[in-house]
């Protein structure tokens, strides 16, 4: 008599254990990529709804990118607008003068008000990004303004935080079933 018991209501564990580690990782990576691209489309829609980039001829949503983590870092993915320079530049907008600027990063977090001119006064404060002590200056010229915080990525995170795990597991399970059928296990 066979000592292995198959649970007919939940065959996921048996299929998962029957497949090779490489196939399991490929199925998980594919699920991560699919979910990341879905979140990227949602973030792009939120960017369009925020109203930024109405006067540009180039599509700002190209600056939103997805990255699936390599196997050595574990399973995971990220959707970001922070600049990343590699073989192809990500998170950077090229304006009409050909200058590359991280516009989406500024739009997500907002920028502080700044002025032109000579330095009148300097003081130390904590950086809101790194927490380190930095030197700030008060300048004497006219104001160059600030960019308001659009927070389209934060809105995407709030909208999709409940559905990510469910979608991820469903896609992972479908990928495992597909791989098992391909190998003749089902």
């Amino acid at each position: 008599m066979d000592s292995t018991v198959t649970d007919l209501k939940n065959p996921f564990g048996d299929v998962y254990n029957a497949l090779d580690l490489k196939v399991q990782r490929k199925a998980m990576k594919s699920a991560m990529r699919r979910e990341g691209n879905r979140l990227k489309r949602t973030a792009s829609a939120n960017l369009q709804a925020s109203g930024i980039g109405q006067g540009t001829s180039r599509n700002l949503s190209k600056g939103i990118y997805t990255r699936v983590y390599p196997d050595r870092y574990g399973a995971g993915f990220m959707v970001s607008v922070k600049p990343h320079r590699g073989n192809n530049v990500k998170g950077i907008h090229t304006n009409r003068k050909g200058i590359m600027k991280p516009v989406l990063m500024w739009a997500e977090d907002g920028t502080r008000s700044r002025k032109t001119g000579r330095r009148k006064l300097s003081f130390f404060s904590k950086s809101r990004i790194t927490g380190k002590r930095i030197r700030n200056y008060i300048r004497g010229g006219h104001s160059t303004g600030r960019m308001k915080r659009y927070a389209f990525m934060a809105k995407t995170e709030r909208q999709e935080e409940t559905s990510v795990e469910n979608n991820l597991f469903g896609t992972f399970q479908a990928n495992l079933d597909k791989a098992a059928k391909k190998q003749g296990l089902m």
Side-chain angles (χ1 to χ4, degrees), residues 106-173:
W106 295 334
E108 175 62 25
D109 298 333
T111 60
R112 62 185 176 89
S113 182
R114 292 173 293 182
K115 290 185 173 186
T116 62
R118 303 183 85 178
R119 296 175 184 166
K120 298 286 186 181
L121 180 71
S122 69
F123 58 94
F124 288 99
S125 65
K126 269 191 172 181
S127 170
R128 64 184 180 129
I129 298 169
T130 61
K132 293 183 178 180
R133 190 176 145 190
I134 58 170
R135 182 182 293 272
N136 281 321
Y137 300 101
I138 294 178
R139 296 180 178 267
H142 68 276
S143 173
T144 58
R146 67 176 187 88
M147 181 181 256
K148 75 172 196 170
R149 184 172 191 258
Y150 287 93
F152 56 92
M153 292 294 288
K155 181 180 178 185
T156 303
E157 189 174 347
R158 281 192 311 272
Q159 284 176 344
E160 302 294 330
E161 66 186 350
T162 57
S163 64
V164 169
E165 290 183 19
N166 294 333
N167 291 341
L168 196 60
F169 183 73
T171 308
F172 180 52
Q173 190 171 9

Side-chain angles (χ1 to χ4, degrees), residues 83-97:
H84 178 73
R85 288 184 185 247
N87 290 339
N88 56 352
V89 181
K90 296 180 178 180
I92 299 286
H93 172 70
T94 306
N95 65 11
R96 28 184 113 142
K97 294 180 182 175

Side-chain angles (χ1 to χ4, degrees), residues 2-162:
D2 190 18
S3 64
T4 60
V5 178
T6 303
D7 185 11
L8 295 176
K9 293 179 182 174
N10 189 11
F12 173 74
D14 295 332
V15 172
Y16 181 77
N17 292 329
L19 292 173
D20 187 23
L21 181 65
K22 187 175 182 181
V23 175
Q24 292 172 358
R25 284 184 177 165
K26 184 178 177 185
M28 183 55 118
K29 213 170 196 177
S30 174
M32 294 282 180
R33 189 176 305 108
R34 176 172 282 195
E35 188 62 20
N37 286 334
R38 188 184 70 79
L39 287 176
K40 179 180 166 183
R41 286 190 297 274
T42 306
S44 179
N46 286 337
L47 174 67
Q48 298 296 326
S50 71
I52 187 170
Q54 298 296 333
T56 61
S57 61
R58 298 181 191 220
N59 192 0
L60 277 180
S61 61
K62 287 186 178 182
I64 303 172
Y65 64 94
T66 305
R67 179 171 182 243
V68 177
Y69 298 139
D71 293 335
R72 66 179 178 267
Y73 295 121
F77 68 94
M78 72 173 189
V79 179
S80 181
V81 294
K82 306 294 183 196
H84 178 73
R85 288 184 185 247
N87 290 339
N88 56 352
V89 181
K90 296 180 178 180
I92 299 286
H93 172 70
T94 306
N95 65 11
R96 28 184 113 142
K97 294 180 182 175
I99 301 171
M100 299 167 74
K101 295 188 175 189
V103 174
L104 292 181
M105 179 182 74
W106 295 334
E108 175 62 25
D109 298 333
T111 60
R112 62 185 176 89
S113 182
R114 292 173 293 182
K115 290 185 173 186
T116 62
R118 303 183 85 178
R119 296 175 184 166
K120 298 286 186 181
L121 180 71
S122 69
F123 58 94
F124 288 99
S125 65
K126 269 191 172 181
S127 170
R128 64 184 180 129
I129 298 169
T130 61
K132 293 183 178 180
R133 190 176 145 190
I134 58 170
R135 182 182 293 272
N136 281 321
Y137 300 101
I138 294 178
R139 296 180 178 267
H142 68 276
S143 173
T144 58
R146 67 176 187 88
M147 181 181 256
K148 75 172 196 170
R149 184 172 191 258
Y150 287 93
F152 56 92
M153 292 294 288
K155 181 180 178 185
T156 303
E157 189 174 347
R158 281 192 311 272
Q159 284 176 344
E160 302 294 330
E161 66 186 350
T162 57

